[in-house]
Amino acid sequence: MKKNMYKLYGGLACLVLSLLVGLFTILPPYRSYLPSENRSAASLPAIGLNGLENGSIQSGWESWFQDQLAGRTFLMNTAYLLKKAAGQKVINDVYLGSNALLLNPDKPEGTIYEDNAKALDDFAQRLGVSSTLMVVPGAASIQTEKLPANAPVTNVNPYLDELSETEYQMLTFADVRPALEEIKDEYIFYKTDHHWTSLGAMAAMKDLLGKWDITLNESDFDFLPVSTSFQGTLADKTGSFIMKDDIDIAVNKNQADYVVTWNDGSKTGSMYRSAALNEKDQYQVFLGANQGLVKINTTNINGRRLLLFKDSYANSALQFLIPYFESITVVDPRYYYDDLSTLTANETYTEMAALFSWNTFATDSSLSMVLASQGDVQ
Amino acid sequence: MKKKRKTNKALIWIVLAAVILMALGIWKFMAKDPFQEGNAYLKALDEKDITETEKTIRHNQIANTFDQIESGEVSVFAGFSDSLLLGDSRMYGFQSYGFLPESRVMAAAGETFANATDYIDVVQTLQPDVLYFSYGINDLGLQLGGDAQGYADFVETQVKALLEVSPDSLVVINSIIEATAEANTQSDYWSLAPEYNEALKTMTEKNGWIYVDNSTLSGGGTADIYQADGIHFYSTFYPVWAQHMLEAAKDALLNS
């Protein structure tokens, strides 16, 4: 009798808890953005017969409910612990490695990576300025010893080899792998985020600058810690909540003054956004949130003017480029909607580079679209 | 006896705890904040006044542009990238011949200095480094200002109105480029250009603005720069005119 009562109370408690979670989930306000995952929350599906037929309404509701679920973070963290305890080695395409989370690289989408490289070469020819391409593979491709044994990681090397071996007219491929592999035991990638650390970025930029006969001396930079509590996108994808990263900024000892003109036209004397250190995505301390166009003008007088196409990997790398240029025009093609001719009409560049993570370069065609959208370079 | 021993034991624990807490407090107080240097650097950059830096950068850019123009690396029109040109149909040629983008040329046929303030919103938005003006033939025909001095006063008022909204712009006023002698027969006033130019020059210099004397280019209406109407210019004249304007503004631009 007593046993039955316990069962009844237990069942009732579960029911009430489920009802409460459901109630708190469907009651407004609703989340429009998930800061822990650095993405917009799924919106409510539009109701229509088509949606019913093809099932998009059901999957839309499912996504919406997942994103609005009350206690979502707590549940994800609990699920992570349970999966880890059960010996699971991969969650949401992120490997639970040795003291690190490693994102499985994307497989290339069609010929996007080849098209992007070709578009860069064509653009370089039209502009009359040689271009250098650097595509950065992530930690899973460089720090392979951190991966779980026999992890079936996408091998990006054949594609990078292909880019390296292809002969272009005015495009040079800067293979960053040797530079990163040389220091792969050091803290060159964040443990909880898909980006590289300032140390990793410095090694790569030393390599890139070398292509232009510019020598980067490591001793010219002081690394100053600004955070030890960074939990990046990979932590969010997996639900990991114990591991944390350090963020260092790199300060050039002879740094010339500079002015950053942001996409909205505002200007500051800093490439850093210090407020990001108090927010979820602390990597945004480097150049803030993604934006289409940022111009950096320095007081250097050396005749070097760089046009840089990039994704967020370059944000921390800019610390190592600013000291060596008069100006750097930074274009993120994923967010750039203007005509490139406005940048090339009355401005000249001495160097041009494209710096992308493998995932962006292999799956995002916005670079080739932006470069091709411009007719004749003026 | 037993009670006393118990009290002593508790006292020892309390003292020990107090000592540990005090040691922790001192350690915490003495420990260096690991982010102190980094945060101080970020804060200093956040609070940095960029006015002087911008000035230095601008100076370097202008000097660099002049060097590039001189070496032929870029066209003379690169020197107008942050300028605004206001004027009549002659000035409109910079746009119609494709030398400068539409956004940098506020000019149209038949316009006079009275129209300059029509573009006050554009001036306010663009905050151009330099405001170049070139009017005159229509102004003469309409006898704007009544006489030479009256015209110069009117021009001064118009320019000052634009400077109200863009106070840091450098002002460059072109002399009225004379029409050919044959064209001058169409108007009773066009031949007054030299007299008006004298008044313009005096007024311009009084205000610390830049006056561009174009008489050397036009040869008093005899140079081979005119179209059949004797008023408008061949396209080949525009790069020469642009170079002349830039030269006149060069020192002021480099020292601005």
Side-chain angles (χ1 to χ4, degrees):
Chain A
M1 182 67 183
K2 211 172 181 182
K3 208 173 174 184
N4 283 343
M5 285 296 282
Y6 282 139
K7 271 186 182 172
L8 182 67
Y9 287 143
L12 272 176
C14 281
L15 185 68
V16 169
L17 191 66
S18 305
L19 283 174
L20 280 176
V21 168
L23 191 68
F24 280 115
T25 300
I26 58 170
L27 279 179
Y30 303 124
R31 301 180 187 111
S32 57
Y33 182 73
L34 302 174
S36 63
E37 291 169 52
N38 195 24
R39 67 172 176 87
S40 300
S43 51
L44 280 169
I47 294 170
L49 278 177
N50 275 349
L52 276 174
E53 279 170 18
N54 62 27
S56 64
I57 285 192
Q58 293 90 318
S59 62
W61 273 105
E62 211 174 295
S63 304
W64 180 86
F65 196 82
Q66 277 175 9
D67 285 356
Q68 301 299 332
L69 188 65
R72 189 172 189 279
T73 307
F74 171 75
L75 291 172
M76 280 187 73
N77 294 159
T78 310
Y80 167 77
L81 283 180
L82 292 173
K83 286 172 185 172
K84 184 112 173 139
Q88 196 165 324
K89 297 293 182 196
V90 59
I91 300 173
N92 282 337
D93 225 14
V94 177
Y95 289 105
L96 314 182
S98 157
N99 193 33
L101 303 168
L102 304 103
L103 181 67
N104 189 18
D106 286 339
K107 288 191 175 72
E109 279 183 23
T111 57
I112 284 179
Y113 71 102
E114 291 162 320
D115 298 343
N116 280 337
K118 172 84 170 53
L120 267 170
D121 189 30
D122 290 347
F123 182 76
Q125 289 175 58
R126 295 204 302 277
L127 193 64
V129 179
S130 297
S131 183
T132 308
L133 167 65
M134 182 174 272
V135 180
V136 188
S141 304
I142 301 292
Q143 297 176 319
T144 48
E145 71 288 349
K146 290 190 174 183
L147 286 164
N150 305 317
V153 175
T154 305
N155 183 9
V156 301
N157 287 324
Y159 310 113
L160 294 176
D161 289 343
E162 182 194 327
L163 286 171
S164 179
E165 286 157 14
T166 305
E167 282 191 16
Y168 299 99
Q169 298 282 319
M170 289 187 76
L171 177 69
T172 306
F173 183 73
D175 194 342
V176 71
R177 290 173 291 177
L180 293 177
E181 273 159 8
E182 199 175 318
I183 52 168
K184 68 177 183 178
D185 296 332
E186 295 183 40
Y187 190 25
I188 57 171
F189 289 101
Y190 293 114
K191 295 174 288 183
T192 68
D193 194 66
H194 62 289
H195 291 106
W196 53 15
T197 64
S198 292
L199 188 65
M202 182 167 74
M205 290 309 98
K206 183 175 182 173
D207 200 49
L208 181 66
L209 288 163
K211 305 283 179 208
W212 302 318
D213 298 324
I214 299 172
T215 308
L216 181 154
N217 291 316
E218 286 98 335
S219 58
D220 287 346
F221 290 87
D222 286 330
F223 278 63
L224 307 179
V226 291
S227 173
T228 50
S229 60
F230 175 38
Q231 289 185 303
T233 49
L234 302 183
D236 302 324
K237 270 173 97 86
T238 55
S240 160
F241 59 97
I242 299 166
M243 221 184 299
K244 286 179 182 173
D245 271 302
D246 301 343
I247 294 181
D248 288 355
I249 57 168
V251 178
N252 186 281
K253 288 170 186 158
N254 310 306
Q255 180 65 64
D257 288 338
Y258 62 90
V259 173
V260 182
T261 306
W262 302 92
N263 200 52
D264 64 0
S266 61
K267 294 180 179 182
T268 64
S270 174
M271 63 156 278
Y272 302 102
R273 191 176 154 270
S274 54
L277 294 172
N278 301 316
E279 295 167 5
K280 174 69 184 108
D281 187 2
Q282 295 184 8
Y283 182 76
Q284 287 192 12
V285 70
F286 304 109
L287 214 70
N290 290 324
Q291 47 200 305
L293 176 68
V294 176
K295 291 189 83 169
I296 301 168
N297 289 299
T298 77
T299 54
N300 290 327
I301 302 177
N302 55 25
R304 289 186 179 275
R305 294 175 296 279
L306 172 66
L307 175 59
L308 177 68
F309 296 97
K310 62 97 199 175
D311 67 2
S312 57
Y313 256 67
N315 294 3
S316 58
L318 277 165
Q319 303 174 102
F320 306 101
L321 296 176
I322 291 173
Y324 304 102
F325 289 90
E326 271 185 18
S327 72
I328 305 177
T329 302
V330 186
V331 179
D332 189 330
R334 299 168 301 167
Y335 304 91
Y336 186 77
Y337 308 113
D338 286 333
D339 192 329
L340 272 185
S341 62
T342 56
L343 294 181
T344 54
N346 284 311
E347 213 154 332
T348 56
Y349 302 98
T350 53
E351 278 89 18
M352 181 164 71
L355 174 55
F356 289 91
S357 63
W358 162 257
N359 279 7
T360 303
F361 199 75
T363 64
D364 192 313
S365 58
S366 50
L367 175 63
S368 59
M369 286 165 73
V370 163
L371 293 172
S373 67
Q374 188 192 24
D376 293 327
V377 176
Q378 291 175 36
Chain B
M1 186 66 181
K2 207 173 180 184
K3 199 176 175 188
K4 201 177 174 190
R5 199 179 291 162
K6 254 188 181 174
T7 315
N8 282 344
K9 216 171 180 183
L11 200 65
I12 288 167
W13 278 113
I14 289 168
V15 169
L16 199 66
V19 168
I20 291 170
L21 277 176
M22 206 183 287
L24 279 173
I26 291 169
W27 176 78
K28 178 94 178 148
F29 183 74
M30 300 292 283
K32 196 185 163 196
D33 173 7
F35 308 136
Q36 192 178 10
E37 210 178 337
N39 285 338
Y41 179 76
L42 292 179
K43 190 166 182 252
L45 283 188
D46 284 345
E47 292 171 354
K48 196 176 172 68
D49 181 358
I50 55 172
T51 315
E52 280 307 311
T53 310
E54 278 200 285
K55 238 183 208 177
T56 308
I57 290 168
R58 186 70 196 127
H59 174 90
N60 294 347
Q61 284 174 335
I62 291 166
N64 184 46
T65 303
F66 276 111
D67 286 347
Q68 287 182 302
I69 291 170
E70 212 166 294
S71 67
E73 204 178 326
V74 295
S75 86
V76 66
F77 299 104
F80 293 85
S81 58
D82 293 313
S83 303
L84 191 67
L85 281 67
L86 298 100
D88 52 23
S89 55
R90 290 163 148 189
M91 199 64 139
Y92 177 68
F94 282 103
Q95 178 195 326
S96 62
Y97 286 124
F99 293 121
L100 287 172
E102 194 181 336
S103 59
R104 291 286 157 188
V105 185
M106 298 297 128
E111 295 207 333
T112 68
F113 237 115
N115 295 106
T117 46
D118 294 349
Y119 304 106
I120 199 158
D121 291 342
V122 180
V123 173
Q124 186 164 20
T125 306
L126 289 180
Q127 297 288 308
D129 284 349
V130 190
L131 285 166
Y132 289 95
F133 297 95
S134 176
Y135 294 98
I137 286 291
N138 301 316
D139 310 52
L140 281 171
L142 294 168
Q143 280 292 281
L144 210 59
D147 57 18
Q149 188 54 50
Y151 179 64
D153 292 343
F154 178 69
V155 169
E156 184 178 15
T157 309
Q158 290 292 88
V159 172
K160 282 184 174 170
L162 294 175
L163 285 178
E164 282 280 312
V165 300
S166 183
D168 296 328
S169 294
L170 189 70
V171 172
V172 179
I173 298 178
N174 279 277
S175 66
I176 303 170
I177 302 180
E178 292 170 66
T180 60
E182 195 183 345
N184 277 342
T185 59
Q186 297 170 43
S187 164
D188 295 337
Y189 305 109
W190 287 354
S191 58
L192 296 174
E195 187 189 329
Y196 275 58
N197 281 337
E198 272 307 309
L200 274 180
K201 184 172 188 274
T202 307
M203 179 278 294
T204 304
E205 288 171 353
K206 181 189 81 182
N207 283 289
W209 301 334
I210 295 162
Y211 175 77
V212 185
D213 181 358
N214 290 306
S215 60
T216 51
L217 303 181
S218 65
T222 61
D224 185 21
I225 60 172
Y226 297 96
Q227 291 183 19
D229 63 5
I231 300 166
H232 297 98
F233 312 123
Y234 295 133
S235 65
T236 49
F237 175 63
Y238 283 88
V240 180
W241 188 13
Q243 182 73 43
H244 192 60
M245 280 195 268
L246 267 189
E247 285 301 327
K250 184 177 179 178
D251 287 344
L253 274 170
L254 287 172
N255 296 319
S256 62

